[in-house]
Structures are given as structure tokens and as C-alpha cells.
């Protein structure tokens, strides 16, 4: 049984026209920022930082994926014509299930393979960092919800 309270899924901070006080809307409920506890305001600030980090990481993941796709297209255009023999185990590069002799690749193709591997490593790192940032955001949101509950 899950006893965790759902975390605030959305929040918007706005300056209400004609009102001197900024407000925040959390899950369709409006709060005056000045009326919130210091802890609640700190959690909101932490959520903002986490959201900015998540957005930055998602942009970096999109860049890395775009570069990976470009390297893959370039490599596909320069694959060796012949595949490695079925029993060859050493100095073989497998691409899309097909085995090729490493020696048959041009220097340019080898560079594309190296960059593909680097992109894969970068994407894995960024995905892990994004998961960490999302977990932190969820923790801040849960703490905010608790602070708002009083």
C-alpha cells in the first residue's frame, strides 16, 4: 500500500495585476508568497533550481542524440562492403547485427564509431543526471506539500 502523498505536479508563480504580492499556484490552489513559511519558500526555490537543471539536461540530451544520429548516418554510408566470416571472433565490429573486420574500416569510419560510443556514454551520463535531478525535484515538491499542509 502506497502511503506517500502525491507531490505538487505543477506550480506557477505570477504577479497578480493590481496586487502588490506575488502568488504561486500549486495544483490549482493559489497562495501568496509572502504568507508562506520560510521553509515553503525555500522548497519553491529548490524546485525552481531542479526544474532549470532538468530543462538544461533535456536540452543536452537532445543535442547528444542529434549528434549521435548524424554520426550513425555517416557511418552507415561508409560501412565496408564485405562482412566478416561467421567464425571470426577477434578484431570484429558488430553493427546492426552484422560483423565486419575492424581492419576493413576507413579511418573516417573508425572515427565515427568512436564518436558514436562517446555519444552513447554521454547520453547515459545525462540520463542518470536527469533521473537524479527529477528525484530531487520530487523530494522538494513533497517537502513543499508538507510545508503547505502545516
Amino acid at each position: 500500500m502506497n502511503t506517500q502523498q502525491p507531490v505538487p505536479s505543477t506550480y506557477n508563480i505570477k504577479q497578480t495585476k493590481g496586487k502588490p504580492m506575488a502568488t504561486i499556484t500549486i495544483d490549482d490552489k493559489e497562495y501568496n508568497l509572502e504568507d508562506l513559511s520560510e521553509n515553503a519558500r525555500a522548497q519553491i526555490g529548490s524546485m525552481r533550481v531542479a526544474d532549470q537543471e532538468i530543462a538544461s539536461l533535456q536540452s543536452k540530451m537532445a543535442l547528444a542524440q542529434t549528434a549521435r544520429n548524424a554520426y550513425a548516418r555517416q557511418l552507415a554510408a561508409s560501412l565496408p562492403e564485405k562482412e566478416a566470416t561467421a567464425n571470426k571472433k577477434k578484431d570484429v565490429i558488430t553493427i546492426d547485427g552484422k560483423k565486419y573486420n575492424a581492419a576493413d574500416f576507413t579511418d573516417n569510419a573508425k572515427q565515427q564509431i568512436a564518436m558514436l560510443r562517446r555519444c552513447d556514454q554521454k547520453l547515459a551520463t545525462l540520463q542518470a543526471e536527469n533521473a537524479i535531478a527529477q528525484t530531487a525535484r520530487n523530494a522538494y515538491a513533497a517537502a513543499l506539500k508538507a510545508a503547505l499542509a502545516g
Side-chain angles (χ1 to χ4, degrees):
M1 178 163 102
N2 187 358
T3 59
Q4 285 186 315
Q5 294 284 330
V7 297
S9 57
T10 60
Y11 67 92
N12 297 304
I13 297 179
K14 61 182 177 179
Q15 182 74 38
T16 305
K17 192 172 184 176
K19 293 184 182 177
M21 207 177 301
T23 61
I24 183 169
T25 303
I26 301 172
D27 291 340
D28 299 323
K29 187 172 179 184
E30 194 170 284
Y31 300 89
N32 289 325
L33 280 174
E34 292 177 6
D35 294 340
L36 297 179
S37 69
E38 186 175 320
N39 179 32
R41 287 192 304 270
Q43 299 309 321
I44 291 167
S46 295
M47 284 177 65
R48 285 180 180 158
V49 169
D51 285 341
Q52 290 169 351
E53 180 66 11
I54 290 166
S56 174
L57 288 165
Q58 288 173 341
S59 293
K60 289 177 183 180
M61 284 187 287
L63 286 171
Q65 186 62 54
T66 299
R68 188 194 188 288
N69 293 344
Y71 291 129
R73 279 191 304 277
Q74 292 173 4
L75 177 61
S78 61
L79 290 174
E81 299 226 355
K82 68 177 190 172
E83 293 182 36
T85 58
N87 61 353
K88 184 162 171 97
K89 304 283 186 213
K90 191 174 181 186
D91 299 324
V92 172
I93 297 173
T94 303
I95 299 173
D96 293 334
K98 296 180 180 176
K99 294 181 179 185
Y100 299 94
N101 291 318
D104 292 341
F105 282 87
T106 65
D107 288 341
N108 183 49
K110 289 176 184 176
Q111 181 66 25
Q112 301 310 318
I113 292 168
M115 293 309 295
L116 273 167
R117 288 177 177 156
R118 179 68 181 114
C119 285
D120 287 343
Q121 292 168 346
K122 184 69 170 179
L123 282 165
T125 299
L126 290 168
Q127 289 164 349
E129 289 177 15
N130 190 57
I132 291 167
Q134 188 62 54
T135 300
R137 190 218 186 266
N138 291 344
Y140 295 135
L144 174 59
K145 188 164 187 132
L148 294 173

